Amino acid sequence: AQLHAASRKTDCSVLAWDAPGYGDSTPLSPAHPVAQDYAERLWAWLDALHVTTPVTLVGHSLGALMAARATCMAPERVSQLILLAPAHGYGNAPAAERAQKLSDRLASLAALGPAGMAHKRAAAMLSPSASAEHVQFIQSVMAQIHPHGYTQAAHMLSQGDLGADMADVHCPIVVA
């Protein structure tokens, strides 16, 4: 719905990126990628599209780690950073906690599969007042995750540190 509304604006262009391993995109090469790997792929994608003017980067959930890292990599290319329900990452947590968080996510994927995870978690991704139609839509999108791409993103989350990257971001920031 947000992309549809933004696409009707005449003063900007909206590009929606499927992170590596999501949608129809190709997963990253490293088995355990970090936010930098995703950010490099983002800039390569924008370069391939010949995007040369500074952009507003929007990152949702895990995408916030990717967008913040991309902003740190090329601050001159980002006019504004918008983080929606940002995942903070567990990079600052003790090693045992990081390992447990990763293990829990991967065990849930193994036990439930994408559709089961989507059924269990879709409502938690929205406001408690969200309509049944919105919950169903989120559930249908979440059920489409690719296990390999989700596994890679879970590894990135276990090592990510949004706070550390945000300390190096100097453009306007919006967090919702």
Side-chain angles (χ1 to χ4, degrees), residues 1-22:
Q2 291 95 343
L3 290 174
H4 179 71
S7 70
R8 293 188 308 229
K9 294 178 109 354
T10 59
D11 61 342
C12 68
S13 296
V14 178
L15 302 171
W17 178 63
D18 282 331
Y22 285 77

Side-chain angles (χ1 to χ4, degrees), residues 22-62:
Y22 285 77
D24 292 328
S25 66
T26 304
L28 292 164
S29 297
H32 303 149
V34 294
Q36 178 87 14
D37 298 312
Y38 289 91
E40 288 171 358
R41 181 75 70 86
L42 171 66
W43 289 126
W45 177 70
L46 288 171
D47 289 344
L49 294 173
H50 306 289
V51 175
T52 58
T53 58
V55 299
T56 295
L57 280 184
V58 179
H60 171 255
S61 189
L62 292 172

Side-chain angles (χ1 to χ4, degrees), residues 11-13 42-43 46 51-58 67-68 70-83 166 169-174:
D11 61 342
C12 68
S13 296
L42 171 66
W43 289 126
L46 288 171
V51 175
T52 58
T53 58
V55 299
T56 295
L57 280 184
V58 179
T71 302
C72 292
M73 285 177 60
E76 73 285 356
R77 296 184 71 177
V78 181
S79 61
Q80 180 179 19
L81 178 62
I82 300 175
L83 305 177
M166 293 306 292
V169 171
H170 302 291
C171 66
I173 302 165
V174 175

Side-chain angles (χ1 to χ4, degrees), residues 128-164:
S129 62
S131 70
E133 178 182 52
H134 284 125
V135 173
Q136 178 59 40
F137 174 74
I138 295 302
Q139 186 174 338
S140 71
V141 171
M142 289 178 71
Q144 297 174 39
I145 66 163
H146 300 288
H148 180 70
Y150 181 84
T151 298
Q152 286 186 310
H155 280 280
M156 187 261 308
L157 177 64
S158 73
Q159 300 300 316
D161 186 353
L162 183 63

